[in-house]
Amino acid sequence: MRRVPILVLLAAAGAPAQSMMNPARLSASLKDFDRGFRDLPLQCEVTPIKPALNFGFRFQAGYAVRVPMAQYRGPGHGWTVLTRITPEGENREPVYLAERMRLPDIPQTKMELQVTGGYLLGEGRYDVVWKMVDDSGRVCSHRWKIDARLSRSERKVKVALPSSTVTDFALRGAPHIPQTDDAAPIRLTVLMHAAPVNPRRTRLSPRDHMMLLGTLSSLLDRVPVRSVRLVVFNLDQQKELYRQESFAPQAMNQVARSIGELELGRVDYRVLQNRGGHLDLLADLVNGELGAKEPADVVLFLGPQARTSDKVPRAELERPAGTTPRFFYIQYRPLAPQQSSLPDTINYAVSRLKGRTLIIRSPGDFAKAIDQIERQAPPSATSSAPSRER
């Protein structure tokens, strides 16, 4: 009974991606992280998320915060969340990341809301100071240290961000890294399945949020593209969550909000009545790509293993002769005993379209998957059109 109200509130407020801020645009009070005796306390529980190398060869870290909603009632409430990250060493400048969140109307309740935030790092040690200020001036704050370093099994990996570097998921503040990829740019459609990595879970964890955002960000940074169409969907809820025809990484916060609106703990009765609705959704996504006025060169499903393993009826997946898209499914499946090794519904659909499923368990697997997609892209992708700036 406790989880459902948490997810209902998270749907309206959750936005697990912070954006880099110019310190000159922040007020003196926001940049002041030293709690004063006049500060009113805001009750909350902050848990740092330790850094881990993501599929883009960047360290991904963040936090999760839970706030009792008994502190709020009625409309008009909101938070400003600010994170200051300072690399250790001489002459290191702090980096500020911020996010504003509007709360929904809060009824009388004893439940809690959980939100997450994340950022990307190069190797190094960092001091983190975090605070959340609400509309009444109450403050919740926390401090911790980060040690981002490669594990013994990752020693041969070259981290994509320079040491002592901090950036957001949109990579807006990242130093320019010259692209050495000689693959031709492609028209890409990403169909991202927003679901828990562990199929037994009934809600997205903070790490699930960060995995989805981090993998999407890394994918768009590594693949040479002319254009990107992004669709976020969930098979269990039988619905499309987000669609953008000309997607750019700067819109990552919109993707974060769409994922935050996913309430896996609550299922609409119409979903329960329509047992094959997930198959209808999958067929609609595929057929929409096959019939698009500007078809993609590559249509890429991206996400964890789906719970379902039934097949879309053959008649519902009609691929006209001579169509352009090449279909792939990058499925991230961590080594976990609870995950089935059998194909899922998306895998069957991609196979029927003569596409390929590429299972990734590590950053190395991800890099190999990208190489395979670039090598097997249709010949039309080798045109001389300039790549979209990334």
Side-chain angles (χ1 to χ4, degrees):
M1 296 296 292
R2 186 180 181 84
R3 288 182 177 176
V4 173
I6 291 176
L7 291 171
V8 171
L9 295 174
L10 177 59
Q18 290 190 293
S19 299
M20 293 181 66
M21 295 290 295
N22 182 347
R25 299 181 59 187
L26 298 173
S27 66
S29 60
L30 279 180
K31 289 192 292 185
D32 182 9
F33 285 86
D34 295 322
R35 185 170 179 176
F37 69 94
R38 295 182 183 274
D39 287 345
L40 298 174
L42 172 63
Q43 185 181 354
C44 75
E45 179 182 340
V46 183
T47 304
I49 298 176
K50 294 181 179 180
L53 197 66
N54 69 11
F55 293 135
F57 301 98
R58 298 174 175 86
F59 287 99
Q60 187 170 312
Y63 62 85
V65 57
R66 298 174 72 95
V67 184
M69 288 292 98
Q71 300 172 98
Y72 301 95
R73 188 168 182 179
H77 296 294
W79 295 327
T80 298
V81 180
L82 192 67
T83 307
R84 186 184 72 192
I85 307 174
T86 307
E88 290 188 357
E90 296 182 0
N91 303 319
R92 300 294 189 182
E93 293 295 326
V95 174
Y96 292 84
L97 299 104
E99 180 70 31
R100 296 185 185 275
M101 290 179 279
R102 180 178 58 84
L103 296 177
D105 293 355
I106 307 296
Q108 185 174 355
T109 179
K110 295 182 179 180
M111 300 304 162
E112 296 179 336
L113 183 151
Q114 176 175 283
V115 293
T116 60
Y119 35 82
L120 301 173
L121 307 166
E123 285 188 274
R125 296 175 62 87
Y126 304 82
D127 293 314
V128 182
V129 189
W130 179 95
K131 73 174 179 179
M132 181 165 66
V133 183
D134 70 8
D135 55 285
S136 63
R138 293 179 294 185
V139 179
C140 169
S141 61
H142 197 65
R143 295 171 180 261
W144 64 92
K145 290 183 178 294
I146 293 176
D147 186 5
R149 56 182 173 179
L150 297 172
S151 66
R152 182 174 300 177
S153 62
E154 298 167 340
R155 293 298 183 190
K156 295 183 180 180
V157 173
K158 183 178 180 180
V159 180
L161 282 177
S163 299
S164 302
T165 300
V166 182
T167 188
D168 59 17
F169 282 110
L171 303 177
R172 275 190 294 268
H176 177 68
I177 301 174
Q179 294 291 332
T180 58
D181 197 333
D182 59 357
I186 62 174
R187 296 183 299 267
L188 175 67
T189 291
V190 179
L191 304 176
M192 188 168 77
H193 184 212
V197 173
N198 185 339
R200 294 185 179 182
R201 298 185 71 95
T202 58
R203 67 184 182 91
L204 292 172
S205 70
R207 288 195 177 275
D208 290 331
H209 280 259
M210 294 180 66
M211 174 70 79
L212 290 166
L213 294 174
T215 307
L216 176 62
S217 176
S218 300
L219 173 74
L220 298 182
D221 186 57
R222 291 182 64 87
V223 178
V225 294
R226 295 167 55 189
S227 63
V228 177
R229 179 187 298 122
L230 175 65
V231 181
V232 182
F233 69 98
N234 178 264
L235 287 181
D236 292 339
Q237 293 286 357
Q238 302 176 9
K239 66 181 179 181
E240 193 174 293
L241 307 172
Y242 176 87
R243 176 181 287 269
Q244 181 61 51
E245 293 298 317
S246 298
F247 182 78
Q250 287 76 11
M252 198 66 70
N253 273 348
Q254 298 174 24
V255 181
R257 289 189 177 92
S258 74
I259 297 173
E261 292 173 359
L262 183 61
E263 302 175 30
L264 291 175
R266 301 181 68 189
V267 180
D268 192 295
Y269 74 94
R270 288 169 292 189
V271 172
L272 296 176
Q273 290 177 332
N274 186 11
R275 298 285 183 177
H278 61 295
L279 300 177
D280 296 336
L281 172 62
L282 193 56
D284 288 344
L285 291 173
V286 169
N287 291 327
E289 291 302 316
L290 295 176
K293 291 183 179 179
E294 296 184 3
D297 298 308
V298 170
V299 177
L300 174 63
F301 284 93
L302 176 69
Q305 187 176 25
R307 302 176 198 271
T308 55
S309 58
D310 45 350
K311 299 179 181 180
V312 178
R314 185 178 298 274
E316 293 188 22
L317 292 180
E318 300 179 1
R319 179 166 186 162
T323 53
T324 300
R326 183 71 188 269
F327 285 82
F328 293 90
Y329 177 20
I330 290 185
Q331 180 194 98
Y332 37 90
R333 191 193 300 176
L335 292 173
Q338 66 269 24
Q339 287 190 285
S340 171
S341 60
L342 297 176
D344 64 8
T345 298
I346 300 174
N347 175 259
Y348 281 125
V350 170
S351 178
R352 183 160 291 171
L353 294 160
K354 302 187 184 303
R356 291 199 60 187
T357 295
L358 306 170
I359 295 175
I360 59 174
R361 295 185 172 91
S362 69
D365 291 340
F366 182 71
K368 292 176 183 177
I370 296 301
D371 289 341
Q372 290 189 52
I373 291 171
E374 291 178 346
R375 288 198 306 267
Q376 299 177 36
S380 62
T382 63
S383 66
S384 58
S387 63
R388 179 177 60 81
E389 182 179 353
R390 300 194 307 283

